[in-house]
Amino acid sequence: MMESARILAGILTAIAALSVFSFAGGAQAPAAHGPADLVIHNAKVHTVDPSRPEAQALAIVGDRIRAVGSEADIQAWIGPGTRLLDARGATVLPGFNDSHVHFVAGSSLLSQVQLNDVTTRQEFVRRVAASARELKNGEWVLGRGWDHEKLPGARLPTRDWIDDVTPDNPVWLGRYDGHMGLANSAALKIAGVDRNTPDPPGGAIVRDANGNPTGALKDAAAGLVERLIPPPSDEQLTRAIRAGLEEVRRAGLTSVQDISHAREMRVYQKLLAAGELTVRFYCITPIQEYEAPLRAGITAGFGNDWIRTGAVKGFADGSLGSTTALFFEPYDDAPTTRGLFNAMMLPEGHMLQMAQPADAAGLQIAIHAIGDRANHEILAMYEEIARRNGPGPARGRRWRIEHAQHLLPSDYDAFARLGVIASMQPAQAIQDGSWAEKRIGHERAGSTHAWRSLLDHGAKLAFGTDWPVAPLNPLLGLYAAVTRATLDGKHPEGWIPEQKITLAEAIEAYTMGSAYAEFTETQKGSITPGKLADVVILDADLFRIPPEKIKDAKVVKTVVGGRIVYSAD
Ligand SMILES: [Zn+2]
């Protein structure tokens, strides 16, 4: 009897505790965890949690969100030590999660020659000359971001533009999409590239009428020069990453999915140990090196709340801007080409040889595919892997296609059927929209950046930027997804307007969608009690302002794991 009475008492206590936890519709009672360390109130909280889509306030204890509710619900969480943040009626969102960045490339760029906004040859040359003056003879002038579509006549820059101002320094200037670069004569000379050098597989050396290299090198040909650039020292790398972290905090990003190398992950780990890491990393490593995580027994999502890994990335093709994205039909403005397979796809079946064992071992596969044929080939490869490997790991597979930019409408279904996440970059649609149609024609453009069609066919979207290809700013991405208004102002009602999505859908892709893409949707991606306290406060009510103003909204505060890591003031 005594024994059963004690059990009964225990059960009653447990029930009492449970009822406390279910207080206020999902908000947990302060008695259990409170008072809060941080309360954000007077907010339009858009939670991305369908069980409570809107709220006015939230309470954070330690690194977790503990309660979400009305102003009155959250009052009870405020104690003498609670820090209060007044959102002034503006939107509060789950921290943004960029599903595709090149973190170190973007970070290093912060100290390189910036050519993103250059529209004249004079300015192009002026910036390269200014950088060369700062360096010792023989040191590399590095830069990135040029786009010949913005230059007069849309002609490619050539080495003679810059040779006069860089006689003693090799130069390498990447196109903004990373699929082409410009070398000066000094760099070509060190690389041994001249009129007799054949185009490498998966690449092209641009030549003038006499067959001499102009300095522009496409895709694999860029490697002829890039491999000669000395890697940064540990100190330079750490300095660059610190600068990148600052950019990311300012942009309201609390997670990034990074195309990483082992050496970079080591620096992230060092910064984490030093308490300096302010964004969560999901590290996606090169598929050519899949055997390293495989042998170590690493599977998708391995790691902790700050640094995870277990995904591998390959390339199926190039880019639209460099006419190396692979299509079924020729380019309208370059009828002799349909684009190029990336070298990893050659010989046929090579990608499958890497992806199949990686999948069998539980690694996540992410493949870059831009052109409709590249996407089609990768979907077919995934189908083949499913056939060979069977249903896959218990956690479920989450294959990804990075960019998924130009699709055959008949391929939309395959994304949902195979569970392939479309990891896409909305800001690129409004960048490319100014010139893409002359390259691929109106009909193919209709299934370009096809967010609406993909969602309607049941596919999952994850949003990001491919930084430094596009700026980090997620608000520009939301604006692009909602308006499709190209940056040149020529499509104010939207380029291919039928592919617009709603603001709520775009926010979901940038938060929950990205979390799903890295297996962390139970830990982040929405403002839900129990999840990590990764939150961003904006300066406007995004759902009230006209859509064209979304790009002008600013991040006021970025909170990661309950810590305020960025304040606009
Ligand atoms: Zn990329």
Side-chain angles (χ1 to χ4, degrees), residues 430-448:
I430 58 172
Q431 200 162 298
D432 297 0
S434 351
W435 49 264
E437 273 189 61
K438 79 172 186 199
R439 190 143 292 172
I440 57 170
H442 187 68
E443 198 192 322
R444 277 189 286 190
S447 51
T448 281

Side-chain angles (χ1 to χ4, degrees), residues 55-309:
Q56 288 76 52
L58 61 123
I60 293 167
V61 180
D63 69 348
R64 299 277 161 175
I65 297 163
R66 285 300 170 200
V68 181
S70 67
E71 207 69 29
D73 292 338
I74 301 305
Q75 268 300 321
W77 286 81
I78 300 171
T82 302
R83 177 155 183 197
L84 281 176
L85 288 181
D86 181 348
R88 298 180 184 165
T91 298
V92 168
L93 297 174
F96 292 107
N97 181 339
D98 190 314
S99 70
H100 187 130
V101 299
H102 297 262
F103 193 82
V104 165
S107 299
S108 308
L109 189 76
L110 298 170
S111 63
Q112 292 181 6
V113 186
Q114 310 277 348
L115 298 167
N116 295 60
D117 55 339
V118 170
T119 56
T120 66
R121 172 173 171 168
Q122 290 80 352
E123 182 59 16
F124 192 104
V125 176
R126 193 192 66 74
R127 292 194 194 178
V128 173
S131 172
R133 275 197 299 274
E134 307 267 298
L135 299 171
K136 298 192 203 86
N137 283 0
E139 283 189 317
W140 283 77
V141 176
L142 299 174
R144 205 174 147 168
W146 59 267
D147 178 2
H148 62 287
E149 302 291 342
K150 294 178 185 166
L151 292 164
R155 278 203 304 274
L156 287 175
T158 58
R159 61 192 158 100
D160 44 274
W161 288 23
I162 50 174
D163 276 348
D164 287 350
V165 295
T166 56
D168 305 312
N169 299 84
V171 178
W172 179 245
L173 308 168
R175 190 177 186 271
Y176 82 90
D177 65 1
H179 288 272
M180 193 179 352
L182 178 70
N184 68 348
S185 295
L188 290 180
K189 193 170 170 209
I190 307 172
V193 174
D194 60 25
R195 55 180 296 126
N196 301 316
T197 311
D199 287 355
I205 298 167
V206 179
R207 297 164 204 267
D208 64 18
N210 301 317
N212 292 312
T214 66
L217 303 172
K218 293 186 176 186
D219 281 291
L224 298 170
V225 166
E226 280 175 338
R227 67 191 163 84
L228 300 170
I229 300 167
S233 65
D234 271 6
E235 194 196 314
Q236 285 171 320
L237 190 60
T238 306
R239 210 182 315 135
I241 289 171
R242 281 201 183 103
L245 288 171
E246 195 179 322
E247 286 289 300
V248 157
R249 292 194 288 269
R250 186 175 313 151
L253 291 158
T254 55
S255 292
V256 292
Q257 301 178 34
D258 179 34
I259 315 305
S260 314
H261 291 86
R263 181 174 174 220
E264 298 157 8
M265 288 167 62
R266 206 168 60 220
V267 178
Y268 303 153
Q269 193 183 10
K270 236 193 266 175
L271 290 169
L272 173 61
E276 287 186 59
L277 212 62
T278 49
V279 70
R280 304 180 195 279
F281 280 92
Y282 185 58
C283 298
I284 305 174
T285 53
I287 196 167
Q288 314 90 286
E289 298 164 18
Y290 77 92
E291 287 181 332
L294 181 149
R295 285 212 196 94
I298 287 171
T299 60
F302 176 90
N304 58 32
D305 287 339
W306 287 96
I307 305 172
R308 286 178 200 276
T309 187

Side-chain angles (χ1 to χ4, degrees), residues 274-555:
E276 287 186 59
L277 212 62
T278 49
V279 70
R280 304 180 195 279
F281 280 92
Y282 185 58
C283 298
I284 305 174
T285 53
I287 196 167
Q288 314 90 286
E289 298 164 18
Y290 77 92
E291 287 181 332
L294 181 149
R295 285 212 196 94
I298 287 171
T299 60
F302 176 90
N304 58 32
D305 287 339
W306 287 96
I307 305 172
R308 286 178 200 276
T309 187
V312 292
K313 184 200 173 202
F315 284 87
D317 64 347
S319 79
L320 186 69
S322 302
T323 47
T324 51
L326 186 65
F327 287 88
F328 281 104
E329 299 300 326
Y331 283 84
D332 286 36
D333 61 347
T336 56
T337 183
R338 294 159 200 252
L340 294 173
F341 269 122
N342 184 277
M344 289 178 204
M345 298 289 282
L346 306 168
E348 204 192 323
H350 181 229
M351 184 71 89
L352 178 64
Q353 280 166 24
M354 298 187 281
Q356 189 199 336
D359 174 78
L363 294 165
Q364 185 183 33
I365 318 283
I367 309 285
H368 161 120
I370 305 260
D372 55 20
R373 175 150 183 223
N375 277 279
H376 186 80
E377 299 278 345
I378 295 305
L379 290 166
M381 181 189 80
Y382 283 148
E383 189 127 47
E384 178 63 17
I385 294 175
R387 202 181 59 76
R388 293 193 190 182
N389 286 356
R395 61 169 166 76
R397 290 190 172 96
R398 295 186 188 175
W399 286 323
R400 307 164 50 138
I401 290 185
E402 303 304 307
H403 314 305
Q405 208 165 294
H406 308 278
L407 302 174
L408 295 180
S410 53
D411 277 340
Y412 295 147
D413 274 332
F415 280 84
R417 181 165 44 83
L418 297 167
V420 176
I421 296 156
S423 167
M424 302 178 77
Q425 299 77 35
Q428 283 185 41
I430 58 172
Q431 200 162 298
D432 297 0
S434 351
W435 49 264
E437 273 189 61
K438 79 172 186 199
R439 190 143 292 172
I440 57 170
H442 187 68
E443 198 192 322
R444 277 189 286 190
S447 51
T448 281
H449 299 281
W451 312 309
R452 179 78 271 150
S453 296
L454 283 164
L455 286 179
D456 290 349
H457 284 77
K460 284 207 153 60
L461 293 183
F463 272 173
T465 57
D466 204 8
W467 185 58
V469 176
L472 270 180
N473 180 6
L475 291 155
L476 182 67
L478 297 182
Y479 162 81
V482 170
T483 67
R484 291 181 74 102
T486 52
L487 294 173
D488 62 2
K490 286 188 185 147
H491 300 86
E493 301 307 315
W495 176 57
I496 326 293
E498 59 275 21
Q499 294 294 354
K500 289 181 195 174
I501 56 175
T502 67
L503 179 59
E505 287 168 332
I507 291 170
E508 184 173 353
Y510 232 125
T511 54
M512 272 305 268
S514 291
Y516 180 84
E518 53 153 309
F519 299 90
T520 54
E521 73 279 6
T522 60
Q523 293 301 306
K524 53 194 190 188
S526 68
I527 298 182
T528 301
K531 283 195 174 182
L532 290 164
D534 296 355
V535 178
V536 63
I537 304 176
L538 304 178
D539 72 346
D541 180 349
L542 286 194
F543 287 87
R544 284 282 177 84
I545 58 177
E548 62 271 19
K549 297 273 186 220
I550 293 172
K551 66 176 183 321
D552 306 320
K554 297 270 182 296
V555 170

